[in-house]
Amino acid sequence: MTLEPEPVAPALAAAEAAGWDTVRLDLDGVRGKAGLMRRCGEALRLPEWVGGNWDALADALRDLSWLPDATGRLVAVTGWGGFAAARPREWETFLEVLEEAAGFWREPEAGPGPELRVVLDGTVPGAPSRTARPGRRRD
């Protein structure tokens, strides 16, 4: 799975109409990893045990047991252009974490849990395009 920017309004409307839990993760003004992790914690209602590192975020997104039951879950990432431009490597790592989590919830081995879908706001002006990274490096 690869996350590509798209309009979030139709995705949010469709998810809400289907009874999905929707979250808008607004990254406007975020320029560093610590700020990103704080914003994720607030928007996604992450439990306190989730630390401020990529592996902890990835683990939390594969264990959504702290959230109320839902038919599905949609995370709409908005205002991300500034962070992506300021921290391109960390942005790519963040996208990898989101892509892995969404892929995990599509797999039959994940069990009967609801689908997790992530959309990137495609209306972010001046947002950088994605670049391929040869390998994962999480700090």
Side-chain angles (χ1 to χ4, degrees):
M1 173 187 157
T2 300
L3 293 176
E4 294 296 334
E6 64 181 274
V8 297
L12 285 166
E16 289 168 355
W20 284 29
D21 184 29
T22 60
V23 173
R24 186 178 297 260
L25 175 57
D26 183 10
L27 300 182
D28 188 41
V30 173
R31 295 297 182 266
K33 181 180 173 185
L36 172 70
M37 292 296 177
R38 268 192 306 279
R39 201 68 63 92
C40 286
E42 294 164 1
L44 301 171
R45 304 179 303 267
L46 297 175
E48 290 185 24
W49 59 260
V50 177
N53 64 66
W54 300 120
D55 289 333
L57 180 60
D59 289 346
L61 292 174
R62 285 189 303 267
D63 172 16
L64 301 175
S65 61
W66 73 89
L67 292 173
D69 289 339
T71 308
R73 303 187 199 293
L74 175 74
V75 177
V77 183
T78 62
W80 54 269
F83 179 76
R87 303 286 189 166
R89 290 182 59 100
E90 290 178 350
W91 173 246
E92 282 296 321
T93 301
F94 181 57
L95 291 179
E96 289 172 5
V97 168
L98 294 175
E99 289 169 344
E100 287 175 6
F104 173 82
W105 288 104
R106 276 196 311 277
E107 296 296 321
E109 298 83 36
E115 180 181 350
L116 172 67
R117 183 164 179 246
V118 179
V119 295
L120 302 178
D121 184 1
T123 64
V124 174
S129 60
R130 294 206 54 194
T131 56
R133 283 185 38 197
R136 163 169 302 121
R137 194 175 125 214
R138 291 189 184 163
D139 302 354

